[in-house]
Structures are given as structure tokens and as C-alpha cells.
Amino acid sequence: MSKTKVLVVEDYLPLVETLEYQLKRAGYEVFRATDGREALKQAKLQLPDLIVLDVDLPILSGVEVCKQLRANPATQSCLIMMLSALGEESDQVVGFAMGADDYVLKPVESYKVLLQKIKALLRRREPAVDDAESVTQSGVTVDRRRFVATIDGEVLKLTKSEFRLLETLIRQPGRAFDRNELVEAALGEDTLVLERTIDVHIRALRKKMNDAADLIETVRGIGYRFREHESSPSNEVAIAENV
């Protein structure tokens, strides 16, 4: 069973490190972003179950990030817990109006209480989270709660990296991911590897997918994408095994 994903968006490093430590200790898989633009990128890439979102961020404010997350079909179902030193009623009203699911004041006085709030938030929205745990495209199904991928009902024996690669690609069919994005998604943003390492993982994944291997398309000069159901190979796409 895969872990619940939490994206922490905060530009104050000591708080980021404390939140990350507490969340990992509680069993969550944690990702970071330190400004609004990076928050939107990570949210689209990781599709977290919960986003802990600071209001006062560089580049884009937390309020604007929340607004854009709710407007994007790929991220609109993510739970959002806003963190803010702004405690006025009007500030909280704005946060909830933009789509926040909860609003927590800083400084965080009790991380034990914060973790309970997070558990309650996830539990309250559990049916919606479950709906997003499984996705099927062109006969391929990825279920991240059960950590199982199948093709026409037949289970694929994938490594963790291969599973996360397939999950990332299949959740946004037609979108071209560059190799750096896929390194972050499959291996973790702190992993020091060459981008071409992704080619090795893709080759292994295609081999395990057998006749469905051509569903993962090579986009020349960029990276890879999962073929949209209606699309067919074009001159811009190389589907050959050599990558």
C-alpha cells in the first residue's frame, strides 16, 4: 500500500524541516516547495493527497496558488490546509473562499494537534480520496493504494520506480513530461542521478508491458508521455524500444 502524499509549501526553512520530520514520522510521504510557482509544479507532478500551504509565499501567494489548484482538473480534488500568521476573520474567509479545506494559524503551537487535524481532514474526505486512487487508460490500470498495476487484469511485476513512473504518466495522458520531471516523480527530487537514467527505467517498464509498450511514447528532445486514448503515433513521436 502506498503512503499518503503530503506536499509542504513553506519558504521558512526551519518550519519546513520540522513539518517534514513530523509528517514522515507519522508515516506520510512528504514533498517540498518553497514558492508559489514551484508549489503548482509539484502539485501537478506529484498529485498529493494533502497540501499544507503557507499563505505568505514568494512569486505567487498561497491564496493565488489555492485558486489555481482548484481551477485545474488535475489538482482540484487535493485537500488544502492553509498555514498563516494572518488570524483575522477576513483572512480566513478569503482562504476558505478560494477553496481551502482548513485554515491553521502560525506559529504552530502543537504538532500533535496539527497531525490530528490532518488525520481528521483526510478521514473526512476519504471517499473522494479513494475515487482518485485508481486510474485506467487504454486497458492499463494503476491503483496506488494497493500499489498494483495491471494490463487487462494481468498484474505487472514493477519496481517502485517503475510503478511511480507509470502512475505519473498515466494520470495525465497526452502530457509530455521532461526527464527531469520524471526523475523527481519516480526517484525523488533529492536523488542525484543523470536524467538519462529515466531512459533505463522506461525501457524496463516497456519490456514488462509487452504488447502495450507503445502506450508510452517517446517525445523527441523532451521525454515521455502516455498516449491519449484517441491519439495515434505521429511523425514527432518515436515509439521504438531504443531510447
Side-chain angles (χ1 to χ4, degrees):
M1 182 182 296
S2 61
K3 294 182 179 180
T4 299
K5 294 182 179 181
V6 179
L7 172 61
V8 176
V9 186
E10 169 64 57
D11 63 332
Y12 182 52
L13 186 58
L15 180 55
V16 172
E17 292 178 340
T18 302
L19 284 170
E20 183 175 34
Y21 170 77
Q22 294 291 343
L23 288 164
K24 285 185 174 179
R25 188 180 180 190
Y28 299 107
E29 185 174 8
V30 184
F31 304 90
R32 293 186 187 185
T34 56
D35 63 61
R37 184 180 300 157
E38 180 67 15
L40 292 173
K41 176 184 175 182
Q42 288 294 324
K44 287 174 65 178
L45 184 62
Q46 304 298 345
L47 295 175
D49 300 287
L50 171 70
I51 301 172
V52 180
L53 179 63
D54 183 29
V55 171
D56 187 17
L57 291 171
I59 304 180
L60 290 175
S61 72
V63 171
E64 179 61 27
V65 170
C66 186
K67 180 180 178 181
Q68 292 193 34
L69 289 171
R70 289 296 183 234
N72 188 331
T75 57
Q76 64 184 194
S77 63
C78 295
L79 291 163
I80 299 175
M81 174 182 281
M82 280 192 166
L83 280 180
S84 177
L86 304 174
E88 295 295 327
E89 181 180 285
S90 59
D91 297 315
Q92 297 184 48
V93 168
V94 170
F96 284 118
M98 289 299 102
D101 296 287
D102 202 353
Y103 195 103
V104 176
L105 294 179
K106 295 194 296 185
V108 178
E109 296 185 356
S110 171
Y111 288 98
K112 189 174 293 186
V113 172
L114 180 65
L115 289 172
Q116 287 302 317
K117 280 179 171 286
I118 288 173
K119 283 184 179 180
L121 198 56
L122 289 165
R123 189 164 54 243
R124 190 166 75 232
R125 290 281 297 277
E126 193 168 347
V129 172
D130 284 344
D131 288 342
E133 292 297 337
S134 178
V135 61
T136 299
Q137 297 284 348
S138 302
V140 181
T141 298
V142 172
D143 186 334
R144 73 179 183 188
R145 182 169 293 279
R146 294 171 56 226
F147 202 79
V148 170
T150 62
I151 295 179
D152 296 328
E154 184 177 346
V155 176
L156 300 178
K157 295 182 179 180
L158 304 180
T159 65
K160 181 179 179 180
S161 294
E162 292 164 357
F163 180 89
R164 292 183 64 177
L165 264 178
L166 180 59
E167 180 191 13
T168 299
L169 293 166
I170 198 173
R171 285 184 178 276
Q172 298 186 62
R175 176 190 165 185
F177 288 85
D178 64 40
R179 288 177 173 83
N180 186 58
E181 288 178 313
L182 293 173
V183 167
E184 293 183 12
L187 306 177
E189 59 183 319
D190 296 326
T191 304
L192 298 176
V193 296
L194 297 174
E195 290 182 9
R196 300 294 294 186
T197 302
I198 285 298
D199 296 340
V200 177
H201 288 291
I202 290 290
R203 189 179 295 116
L205 176 58
R206 281 174 168 162
K207 186 175 181 179
K208 293 178 180 180
M209 292 174 68
N210 296 318
D211 293 341
D214 62 354
L215 290 173
I216 297 179
E217 301 178 328
T218 301
V219 183
R220 294 187 189 277
I222 299 176
Y224 300 94
R225 68 182 172 204
F226 194 94
R227 186 192 302 170
E228 290 184 280
H229 182 67
E230 298 82 6
S231 67
S232 59
S234 68
N235 292 333
E236 297 178 331
V237 179
I239 313 174
E241 284 294 325
N242 54 333
V243 292

